[in-house]
Amino acid sequence: MRAMNIITLILLVIGGLNWLLVGLFQFDLVAAIFGGETSVVSRIIYILVGLSALWQLMPLFKSFSEDEALAQRH
């Protein structure tokens, strides 16, 4: 599980940085590296980033159920 969390967090950072570039400069780095938004590799990366976001929802909801978020506020 720990390895999967690290991998998904890395993918989310990559996705976040890519969206930052899209927002600031209208430049999609993933598409530029892998041959356009519709290339198979780009689509796989977009899918992996999206699945990573879904995966990271589990620890988020778990932290709420364990009152970890409440404990961090105090």
Side-chain angles (χ1 to χ4, degrees):
M1 273 293 196
R2 179 169 162 77
M4 186 65 118
N5 282 335
I6 292 171
I7 292 167
T8 57
L9 284 171
I10 290 169
L11 284 169
L12 286 175
V13 168
I14 291 168
L17 293 173
N18 192 58
W19 276 112
L20 176 67
L21 290 172
V22 170
L24 290 176
F25 306 111
Q26 297 179 355
F27 178 70
D28 188 340
L29 183 62
V30 172
I33 291 173
F34 297 108
E37 292 178 2
T38 58
S39 77
V40 174
V41 178
S42 293
R43 290 177 51 93
I44 289 171
I45 292 171
Y46 297 143
I47 290 168
L48 288 175
V49 170
L51 290 173
S52 296
L54 292 176
W55 180 268
Q56 286 300 319
L57 286 175
M58 290 188 300
L60 176 67
F61 289 134
K62 185 178 178 184
S63 72
F64 289 143
S65 68
E66 294 175 357
D67 291 331
E68 183 178 317
L70 181 62
Q72 288 181 356
R73 281 192 246 159
H74 294 2

